[in-house]
Amino acid sequence: MTGENEVLERRKRQRFIARRDGAHCFWVSFGGERLPVLDLSLEGFAVPAATPPEANREFDLVLHCDGVVEEVRGQARVVNFIASAAGGQAGCLFDGFEGEGAARLQAWLSDHVQAVSVLPVSEDEAADIVTGPSLV
């Protein structure tokens, strides 16, 4: 992308639909709620939201992956809200992770890419997809 299209594209990395076999597989807990993650990348995520949440205020969170005991703890902030007849969604960016959180998230996403890919994908290819630029 160049010129105006490059300016319009805010995502630096690919976001992945956070579902496997039709069910949510990633969850986020913050503010006393546990919400399904709609899409997820190394940079951020989206969650369902009926009303616009407070924007640009950092909050603590815990990410969960179905079938995995470990958690990812960190901080994020809401950067956008998209209203829809289905209730809308809030887009959030990560501001930081605790401990090995960033590496754990990358491993989760690489495993997710391998699990949902219609074509065989090696571990190295999955890691390249997760850490590489957005494909859309």
Side-chain angles (χ1 to χ4, degrees):
M1 274 189 273
T2 58
E4 184 177 321
N5 289 337
E6 189 173 324
V7 173
L8 294 175
E9 176 57 46
R10 295 180 332 159
R11 294 181 180 172
K12 303 294 183 216
R13 294 199 176 98
Q14 183 68 33
R15 283 203 183 182
F16 303 96
I17 302 300
R19 296 174 72 90
R20 286 187 200 157
D21 300 321
H24 295 284
C25 56
F26 295 102
W27 301 83
V28 64
S29 299
F30 64 91
E33 291 188 82
R34 183 175 190 242
L35 299 171
V37 174
L38 303 174
D39 66 41
L40 180 63
S41 77
L42 295 177
E43 294 175 325
F45 60 95
V47 292
T51 58
E54 186 178 342
N56 288 316
R57 192 192 94 224
E58 189 173 86
F59 58 90
D60 293 327
L61 62 86
V62 180
L63 283 172
H64 313 272
C65 180
D66 283 351
V68 178
V69 175
E70 293 87 8
E71 304 171 327
V72 170
R73 293 182 175 272
Q75 301 77 39
R77 58 191 156 87
V78 175
V79 293
N80 64 30
F81 175 77
I82 300 169
S84 74
Q89 71 180 36
C92 304
L93 286 178
F94 293 117
D95 284 335
F97 297 100
E98 294 180 13
E100 298 294 318
R104 184 170 294 138
L105 177 58
Q106 182 175 334
W108 287 359
L109 285 172
S110 293
D111 290 346
H112 182 64
V113 166
Q114 286 187 288
V116 301
S117 178
V118 295
L119 297 173
V121 176
S122 72
E123 286 181 37
D124 289 341
E125 290 168 329
D128 288 344
I129 291 168
V130 169
T131 60
S134 178
L135 303 172
V136 293

